[in-house]
Amino acid sequence: MNLPPDYWQTLRLTLALASCTTALLLLLGLPLAYVLAHGRSRLKPLLEAVVSLPLVLPPTVIGFYLLLAFSDSTAVGRFLINQLGLSLNFTFGGILAGSLVYSLPFMVQPLQAGFGQVPRALSEAAYTLGKSRLTTLWRVLLPNMKPALLSGAVLTFAHTLGEFGVVLMIGGSLPGRTRVASIAIYDEVQSLRYAQANAYALTLLAVAFVILVALYWFTKKDAARLS
Amino acid sequence: MIDFHLRKALHTAAGPRQLDVALALAPGELVALSGPSGAGKTTLLRLLAGLSKPDGGFLKFDGQTWYDHQRRQWLPPQRRPLGFVFQDYALFPNMTVRQNLAFAAEGQPEARRIVDELLELLELTELAARRPAVLSGGQQQRVALARALARRPRLLLLDEPLSALDLPTRLRLQDALAAVHRQFQLTTILISHDPAEIARLADRVVELDLGEVRRVGPPVAPAAPATVVGRVLAVLPGGRLRVQLPGGAVVEVSGAAGIGEEIALAVVCL
């Protein structure tokens, strides 16, 4: 097969975006999922709706508003650019920020379900043994929700690989900076280079399949170990 | 010495009620809490442990205030030196038996020796490397008790620790509990429905009903089993006998005897 000239560059960028998104969302998603699973606030349904919005919105809608939010025509954008020096449109940082929003529910929902499945008595037992909330989270809750952690991470990674609309709106298609594999496919097809498009498409298909097989295999193994 | 008067809204099957219990325990005393389900026994234990917040009242332990509604004081469970044994054990599935105990003993001098001693005392040494999921109910219960003791608590709270176990296991664990209580002299509150268990372990029994104390006093020993004499009417397959009792009632029991023979039957109240 003839590999497109930018093949490795594009692939590296795609994997970098998916890895950074997954790592950052693990950090952001854990406290959010913890609050959603344990909180009793009346505002909880509101927060849940906000987290789940990216599931139902067209990616172009998210991309459009983020594009506005990052541009100097809005107050938010001016704050980002002038105060924080963050010029996000058409940069890797911009598509990373977009991916965080776009993949948020894919991280938070499995984690929230994972927190919900660990019996409350386990945390309470840890509290009566003098353990702080943080120690309990780290030593008791997280080790007992490994399948949820894994599915959150894997789904986020795979979902970010397949991201198209948000990246296109915010990042455009700058080779080596914002052109990820899904966008490269679109470009190649537009130029009628089907073989090149196929190289990207086949790669994405293979990666997604391998990731999902690994997820289900590990989940099954872990379930067998704990029961 | 623990001294409390606690109030908390209860949601029972009979509608909303108020838990309202005042009690004082002497150091080293073992008090059994008994009463029908929904009486507020578990709620009371959770209030003492700090796992739920009371609506009002106070709670003092050895002169230290754990809770005082008027002075808005409340000590979180982490800072109350107590051991809690949950009804469903609540062992950490990701840790082995030894790790469960070691996690509890962390931060104490000679944590390792404490863990070894408790494993020995509760006959868990052989099981130390196993995970809770592969243990029997009785074994899990012993781990739960050992774990609750590993932090060297001064108050031990036991929520129906033995109710889910078969009789021989329950008797063995009662021995273990009695031994633990003798050795550590812990002030202990035990929820139990079993009069024999209460009579065997407790210094006093507190009967709760609908959130209120119905009776406080010494445990009542269950009556010795009565016997009746019945006449065998028929020998059934499978080693069963049909027996007529003096009142005329006919019952089926297991045993071996000939038709027309008179046999003694022990009556056990369950």
Side-chain angles (χ1 to χ4, degrees):
Chain A
M1 188 191 294
N2 253 347
L3 290 183
D6 295 342
Y7 180 81
W8 293 110
Q9 187 191 52
T10 304
L11 213 61
R12 223 174 16 246
L13 184 74
T14 310
L15 293 179
L17 179 66
S19 311
C20 292
T21 305
T22 306
L24 284 175
L25 270 186
L26 259 180
L27 289 179
L28 296 172
L30 271 174
L32 199 53
Y34 186 86
V35 167
L36 285 177
H38 295 284
R40 273 174 253 156
S41 161
R42 267 181 292 174
L43 296 177
K44 199 173 114 176
L46 201 70
L47 191 58
E48 276 180 310
V50 170
V51 168
S52 301
L53 260 184
L55 280 180
V56 292
L57 279 181
T60 42
V61 171
I62 303 170
F64 173 67
Y65 283 118
L66 286 176
L67 186 69
L68 284 186
F70 295 160
S71 81
D72 58 5
S73 58
T74 61
V76 181
R78 279 193 294 276
F79 175 76
L80 286 175
I81 294 166
N82 299 332
Q83 307 297 318
L84 303 179
L86 284 174
S87 197
L88 289 172
N89 280 334
F90 309 107
T91 65
F92 182 77
I95 59 174
L96 179 59
S99 300
L100 292 178
V101 174
Y102 179 60
S103 291
L104 184 67
F106 287 81
M107 181 62 84
V108 172
Q109 289 189 348
L111 293 185
Q112 187 185 346
F115 278 122
Q117 273 163 12
V118 179
R120 210 164 62 131
L122 290 190
S123 334
E124 292 182 339
Y127 298 157
T128 64
L129 296 172
K131 306 300 175 190
S132 67
R133 276 170 192 274
L134 201 62
T135 306
T136 304
L137 174 73
W138 193 245
R139 307 269 304 272
V140 175
L141 294 180
L142 293 184
N144 287 306
M145 51 183 274
K146 274 190 205 146
L149 284 167
L150 195 66
S151 43
V154 165
L155 290 176
T156 301
F157 189 87
H159 188 241
T160 310
L161 282 186
E163 179 179 343
F164 179 76
V166 179
V167 176
L168 192 65
M169 294 296 276
I170 305 174
S173 174
L174 305 175
R177 285 176 61 193
T178 60
R179 191 166 82 150
V180 293
S182 61
I183 293 191
I185 294 172
Y186 181 74
D187 283 352
E188 303 291 6
V189 169
Q190 289 279 301
S191 320
L192 299 177
R193 291 191 293 264
Y194 285 163
Q196 273 87 335
N198 190 34
Y200 288 122
L202 210 56
T203 309
L204 282 191
L205 180 68
V207 171
F209 184 68
V210 168
I211 286 174
L212 288 181
V213 169
L215 167 67
Y216 290 121
W217 188 68
F218 276 117
T219 311
K220 192 168 162 236
K221 221 176 99 185
D222 197 64
R225 188 176 64 84
L226 286 178
S227 65
Chain B
M1 166 82 183
I2 181 168
D3 183 12
F4 64 87
H5 182 181
L6 294 169
R7 287 190 301 277
K8 171 94 178 165
L10 280 180
H11 305 281
T12 70
R17 302 274 171 175
Q18 170 99 337
L19 178 78
D20 190 338
V21 178
L23 206 63
L25 272 73
E29 193 180 15
L30 197 157
V31 166
L33 267 184
S34 103
S37 60
K41 306 182 297 291
T42 298
T43 305
L44 180 59
L45 231 52
R46 292 177 58 84
L47 293 178
L48 295 175
L51 294 173
S52 304
K53 273 196 182 174
D55 297 335
F58 70 91
L59 165 59
K60 279 187 198 146
F61 185 83
D62 280 353
Q64 188 187 20
T65 300
W66 285 5
Y67 170 71
D68 192 321
H69 181 67
Q70 276 171 355
R71 282 192 272 164
R72 293 174 171 240
Q73 281 183 325
W74 189 76
L75 205 63
Q78 284 91 340
R79 294 181 47 205
R80 303 184 185 194
L82 54 84
F84 199 110
V85 176
F86 291 79
Q87 196 171 3
D88 55 2
Y89 320 131
L91 300 176
F92 305 123
N94 56 317
M95 302 180 197
T96 63
V97 169
R98 174 180 288 280
Q99 287 165 343
N100 263 278
L101 269 58
F103 182 57
E106 261 173 19
Q108 294 186 79
E110 298 192 70
R112 201 184 156 78
R113 194 179 53 80
I114 293 175
V115 170
D116 284 337
E117 276 177 11
L118 284 170
L119 287 173
E120 180 103 359
L121 178 69
L122 288 157
E123 298 169 23
L124 292 165
T125 311
E126 307 268 301
L127 305 172
R130 305 257 182 101
R131 284 182 194 272
V134 299
L135 302 180
S136 72
Q139 291 166 341
Q140 292 191 31
Q141 189 55 69
R142 295 211 301 271
V143 180
L145 183 58
R147 188 182 65 178
L149 295 168
R151 196 189 168 197
R152 290 282 146 99
R154 280 145 65 204
L155 173 68
L156 186 60
L157 303 173
L158 304 144
D159 188 0
E160 288 194 54
L162 310 180
S163 62
L165 305 171
D166 59 61
L167 190 61
T169 313
R170 209 186 312 170
L171 292 177
R172 283 235 319 279
L173 273 164
Q174 285 174 9
D175 288 339
L177 258 180
V180 162
H181 188 244
R182 259 198 314 277
Q183 176 159 349
F184 296 102
Q185 286 300 313
L186 290 170
T187 310
T188 305
I189 301 181
L190 162 78
I191 295 183
S192 175
H193 291 290
D194 178 359
E197 183 173 301
I198 293 172
R200 197 157 163 221
L201 295 171
D203 302 312
R204 267 195 305 165
V205 60
V206 175
E207 281 173 24
L208 285 187
D209 193 13
L210 297 171
E212 286 172 8
V213 177
R214 283 275 171 276
R215 188 181 85 88
V216 184
V220 182
T227 56
V228 290
V229 176
R231 204 156 56 81
V232 179
L233 295 177
V235 179
L236 306 172
R240 305 281 294 170
L241 301 171
R242 184 168 294 151
V243 180
Q244 186 165 38
L245 300 181
V250 174
V251 294
E252 277 186 20
V253 297
S254 296
I259 292 175
E261 259 184 81
E262 298 214 316
I263 56 172
L265 302 173
V267 180
V268 185
C269 289
L270 290 176

